[in-house]
Amino acid sequence: MQKYIDQINNAKTLDEIDSIRIELMGKRGVLTEQLKNLSALPESERKSAGSELNKLRDQITTTLDEKRATLEHAAIMAGLEPQKIDVTLPASTSNTNGKLHPLTHSMMEATTIMSSLGFKLCHGPDIEDDFHNFTALNTPLHHPARDMQDTFFLDADHMMRTQTSAIQIRAMEQLGTPIRVFGLGRNYRREIDATHTPMFHQMEGLHIGTNITMADMIGTIKTFIEKYFDLSDVPMRIRPSYFPFTEPSVEVDIRWDKKSGVLGSGNDWLEIAGAGMVHPNVLRSVNVDSDKFQGYAFGFGWDRMTMLKYGIPDIRNFFRGDIRWLNHYGFDISSTPSLIEGLDD
Ligand code: PHE
């Protein structure tokens, strides 16, 4: 019988195990026959022979079961082997399922362009205090302009930032003047429709120095727009407007064809940014000598700028997290903009 035990232990496949089981314990199996033959033995031998055979059958059954489990486990492991992932390998950048959100992509482009124009990226918190979001921006308590920017208040002094202009204040506090910075970030206001969401983005520039004029402002905005939309000599106009923190204040429009959505030519005007010369009160609020320093600021609604560039019709889809939308409008991770690519004239 040891012969069979060895055979079982040496078996390489589940089929081999099965045929050994049949050979021993099938209807005409070796062991089955011996058990059948017990009755033919004389009474005196039957008992001990019987218990001997039962012991043997138990031993063989256990060995068969153990071997079967070992072979089955090995089969599962062999199936898993090709699916093995080496987590120490560097991430693949070309063949991933993930996509960059169009906003992420357009913000990278904005960062690249603004950097090339000499602007430094600055940051501010989403939860802002009254001073940075309003008061320092020449919008004191009870100023009517606050009504247009109703937001979520955490307490009397803290709110969800309503405009990236708050970053202007933080940047000047940290870096002083002269200064040439830009901010990109989330803002929050109580509004929602096809072109407004309660959370939205802005890209904002600030340039303060000793000899800065509106001509610098217009040139910078025009250059940015042309690089961002890849247009040359886009017809642009400025209209008088009002913001508490700029004087004079303007609205910037560019030519487009409203029907087709084509930018840079056509008979319609598209409002694209707010801008102006920074109000002396803003400079004074961060202890900058407003007789010596002056400059401009401008702000783009960044979700809109992204929709225009990529032909995205409804702003609300930006924040729905629908993977089908992201697969359609998203960008391959390897197609990130750089200073070298895309900025040559
Ligand atoms: N903060 C203004 C807004 O949210 C935009 C703006 C920025 C206007 C900078 C002028 C200068 O409407």
Side-chain angles (χ1 to χ4, degrees):
M1 279 298 151
Q2 189 55 43
K3 174 182 111 188
Y4 290 110
I5 304 270
D6 289 345
Q7 258 181 34
I8 296 168
N9 283 330
N10 291 332
K12 298 254 172 323
T13 64
L14 289 167
D15 283 351
E16 271 180 71
I17 298 274
D18 281 339
S19 59
I20 296 169
R21 183 193 295 277
I22 290 162
E23 194 181 331
L24 284 171
M25 305 197 292
K27 250 188 168 164
R28 301 219 177 302
V30 180
L31 213 60
T32 318
E33 292 293 329
Q34 287 189 21
L35 281 162
K36 268 195 220 158
N37 292 340
L38 274 179
S39 53
L41 288 178
E43 180 92 48
S44 56
E45 290 173 33
R46 204 182 297 158
K47 208 173 167 196
S48 64
S51 77
E52 195 64 29
L53 279 176
N54 278 334
K55 242 165 77 190
L56 200 62
R57 191 185 53 191
D58 289 348
Q59 196 191 347
I60 286 175
T61 309
T62 313
T63 315
L64 278 167
D65 287 347
E66 280 172 8
K67 187 66 186 181
R68 167 173 292 278
T70 312
L71 287 175
E72 277 174 353
H73 180 71
I76 291 169
M77 294 317 278
L80 286 176
E81 187 68 23
Q83 298 173 26
K84 235 181 184 174
I85 297 167
D86 182 351
V87 292
T88 65
L89 284 175
S92 158
T93 52
S94 59
N95 187 24
T96 58
N97 294 323
K99 289 274 179 89
L100 286 181
H101 194 285
L103 272 174
T104 310
H105 192 263
S106 67
M107 284 182 178
M108 285 166 146
E109 293 202 324
T111 302
T112 306
I113 298 166
M114 290 302 279
S115 307
S116 78
L117 295 175
F119 288 75
K120 175 186 156 65
L121 180 60
C122 280
H123 304 276
D126 283 21
I127 296 173
E128 232 347 325
D129 55 44
D130 188 89
F131 178 74
H132 292 91
N133 197 81
F134 288 127
T135 306
L137 288 161
N138 199 31
T139 318
L141 210 62
H142 307 304
H143 191 292
R146 286 196 180 205
D147 277 358
M148 293 180 324
Q149 299 193 7
D150 192 12
T151 183
F152 310 97
F153 282 80
L154 286 94
D155 59 38
D157 193 41
H158 292 90
M159 67 209 72
M160 303 308 289
R161 178 172 73 197
T162 65
Q163 48 189 349
T164 45
S165 303
I167 297 175
Q168 290 183 27
I169 305 301
R170 292 200 173 265
M172 285 192 284
E173 281 174 335
Q174 277 161 30
L175 303 172
T177 45
I179 188 171
R180 190 154 51 165
V181 291
F182 73 106
L184 257 172
R186 286 186 283 270
N187 304 291
Y188 305 81
R189 289 183 202 173
R190 199 174 68 85
E191 50 195 14
I192 184 157
D193 59 36
T195 53
H196 297 88
T197 47
M199 190 278 294
F200 62 99
H201 298 79
Q202 286 179 331
M203 195 284 281
E204 178 131 355
L206 171 73
H207 184 185
I208 305 289
T210 50
N211 198 15
I212 313 292
T213 69
M214 267 192 119
D216 297 306
M217 177 190 92
I218 293 166
T220 303
I221 293 174
K222 192 164 186 286
T223 305
F224 179 83
I225 291 171
E226 287 173 355
K227 284 192 183 290
Y228 177 71
F229 289 120
D230 201 11
L231 296 169
S232 57
D233 207 17
V234 59
M236 184 177 115
R237 73 174 184 188
I238 57 169
R239 284 179 289 118
S241 186
Y242 174 77
F243 301 103
F245 38 87
T246 44
E247 180 60 34
S249 301
V250 300
E251 217 81 57
V252 182
D253 301 340
I254 59 167
R255 275 287 188 206
W256 79 320
D257 181 58
K258 202 174 179 175
K259 228 169 158 191
S260 66
V262 170
L263 297 167
S265 58
N267 294 320
D268 305 304
W269 288 107
L270 173 69
E271 184 187 313
I272 209 155
M277 298 305 285
V278 174
H279 196 293
N281 284 351
V282 174
L283 298 175
R284 280 180 214 126
S285 76
V286 283
N287 302 319
V288 169
D289 182 348
S290 60
D291 289 329
K292 189 172 164 205
F293 287 99
Q294 74 293 124
Y296 60 87
F298 58 86
F300 287 94
W302 201 252
D303 311 278
R304 181 131 182 253
M305 286 288 278
T306 308
M307 291 162 74
L308 286 169
K309 179 156 175 161
Y310 305 132
I312 299 170
D314 190 331
I315 191 176
R316 290 169 294 196
N317 286 326
F318 272 136
F319 314 120
R320 281 194 173 131
D322 187 330
I323 198 74
R324 293 165 304 176
W325 184 88
L326 192 57
N327 276 333
H328 181 77
Y329 286 109
F331 287 84
D332 197 275
I333 287 165
S334 61
S335 74
T336 50
S338 75
L339 271 173
I340 301 143
E341 251 185 280
L343 285 178
D344 300 336
D345 284 324

